[in-house]
Amino acid sequence: MNSPVGGAYAQNGRVMREEIRADKRKDGSSPPRVCVCVMMNHPYPANLPLLRRVYAGRFSELLFLIPFAEVDDPDVITVYRGSYAHAAYISDARARLSTIDCDYFLFVHDDVLLNPQFDESSFTDLLPLGRDDGFIPWVYKTPDRLGEWIWYFALLPRLLHPKSLLFGSGIEPNNLLRYLPTADEIRAGFVRSGATFTERVTISLPTVEEAGPRAHPAAGSPSVVVLDGLAAALDHADPTQRRINEHTLATLEELTAALAEAASRQGIADEARTIKLPIPLAASAYFTDCYVVPRSRFDRFAHYMGVAGAAGLFVEIIAPTILHAVCDRVHTAATLDLNFEGFHRARRLEEFRDRKVIASHPFKFSMFKEPAQADGFMRIVDTLRTGGLLRPEMAAAAGLDASHTDTMKETGWHILEAWGRWSAERFATLKLVAPARQGVIRFRLRAPRLVGHHVNTSGSITLAGGASVSFVIPPTQSGLLIDVPFTTPRTGDALSITVKNDALICPRDFDTASPDPRWLGVGLAEIAFH
């Protein structure tokens, strides 16, 4: 391992990236060239060495956008934005990024762990984007009322009153709209991608009668919104804090009233205090921490994001809005059948064996503080990339608990029952750790019970790169033992097993009184090595 931020390691990284440029996809075509830009909300240059190792050799270019910190590293670009406007990092880095020869820019935050199998060679398989298409995992319509969403307080005053001395940026209102995409361009982009969006917002807060005592946008702590920031630790039992909350709640109410009156004077509000927004809006929440911009539309996107950043427009709203305006189409996890549930809940690392499981967020690289922990974590990353099985001792070396590992992986099966489990698809697979020796695997199989009907349960069991044995369980038998020869070269290697069912059976089709509506193949009661 070379110097963590010095030129020697950066040069080695470039050599590795040059090697993948000559790679070919399985169909003989060249993969798209992808520049990964790792963005940091906060200056954490100490995470650079591990981030380099995680992404080394996977993409044509790798750059790091770090706020404020000046790092002596040719792959680091210092930017000057806060986390609420982090998409405008791109305008700060525009001069450098414009020199990159690539097809797509993948912007990903340093608290996102991408699936180790996701690289340039698999990019098109997972993200089949057109030349002028973008990607963001999720886009949704922003709420119709100011009081239903705290982030409107970080956007609407700046968008509607950019010359305000209190919360404005000093940009003339006409200039702000002049240098952003037009409402028609944004609306057309949303329509092309089939995205829902908001064009009118009611400037009002919900009342206690409407939504209950905790439905206020500040969720019981107005000072979190106005003063302290979302990460503030507040003592709600403290009398002083209660007074602060009361004052800041009053501030929000006055701000809401001021916005409504100003909109009325401008002629953009109706009697219900509903205003027509100057541009349509959609949002992506923290999914804005991972998105793709096509190189063909990068210059327009960077320009607009610079304008939005100068105006202080909140990133989680303005980034997806501008992305739709500049791209032919913006794809999402839903349209591409990808799994981004890792943005909602912590991912076990073993789940990354499914390539469609794209990311875990937030993932703190700083947890691997010691070199031995970083080495242990990289062993996990490399194992996931090569399709091996994760074992508890690997997690322990990285300082993680054993929940990230297992000794069996299965797809195409119903849930585990007391006796075993039923296969649920024509092809059901298992991956498990086998002993390093020759022998046989004995499978104890079970047939679905169909009283009064004569149906064979048949199929085959195949080991990856090895033997295949067919089976038939006649209706006179409830189960069967079969032996399949196997050989594993090394202790701990993963052994893949495929169970093929000639047919699936639904018990309820044979007996309407059956409580089981599932489609069943053969049941697997036991596996033993002999």
Side-chain angles (χ1 to χ4, degrees), residues 437-443 463 482-486 528-530:
R437 58 179 170 81
Q438 294 184 346
V440 297
I441 306 179
R442 178 161 295 168
F443 295 87
L463 308 186
I482 64 171
D483 290 339
V484 182
F486 83 96
F529 292 90
H530 294 278

Side-chain angles (χ1 to χ4, degrees), residues 492-516:
D493 275 5
L495 180 66
S496 295
I497 301 167
T498 300
V499 177
K500 176 189 174 185
N501 294 289
D502 291 336
L504 299 178
I505 296 170
C506 179
R508 187 169 289 177
D509 285 351
F510 292 88
D511 181 0
T512 57
S514 171
D516 195 343

Side-chain angles (χ1 to χ4, degrees), residues 276-297:
K276 180 177 175 58
L277 296 173
I279 56 174
L281 299 174
S284 293
Y286 36 78
F287 290 90
T288 315
D289 284 3
C290 180
Y291 61 96
V292 175
V293 178
R295 179 65 181 86
S296 62
R297 304 300 168 88

Side-chain angles (χ1 to χ4, degrees), residues 378-428:
M378 284 308 304
R379 187 181 177 197
I380 290 174
V381 170
D382 293 339
T383 300
L384 288 168
R385 289 194 70 183
T386 58
L389 218 61
L390 302 178
R391 296 187 292 279
E393 61 269 22
M394 298 169 65
L400 301 171
D401 62 60
S403 67
H404 292 281
T405 66
D406 65 11
T407 56
M408 179 180 289
K409 180 69 178 178
E410 60 278 331
T411 57
W413 300 85
H414 288 296
I415 62 172
L416 187 66
E417 302 177 38
W419 61 270
R421 65 192 343 175
W422 295 110
S423 51
E425 299 177 10
R426 285 288 306 279
F427 294 91

Side-chain angles (χ1 to χ4, degrees), residues 422 445-449 457 473-480 522-523:
W422 295 110
L445 305 179
R446 177 172 175 174
R449 295 187 62 185
T457 301
I473 307 176
T476 55
Q477 293 179 222
S478 60
L480 182 69
V522 70

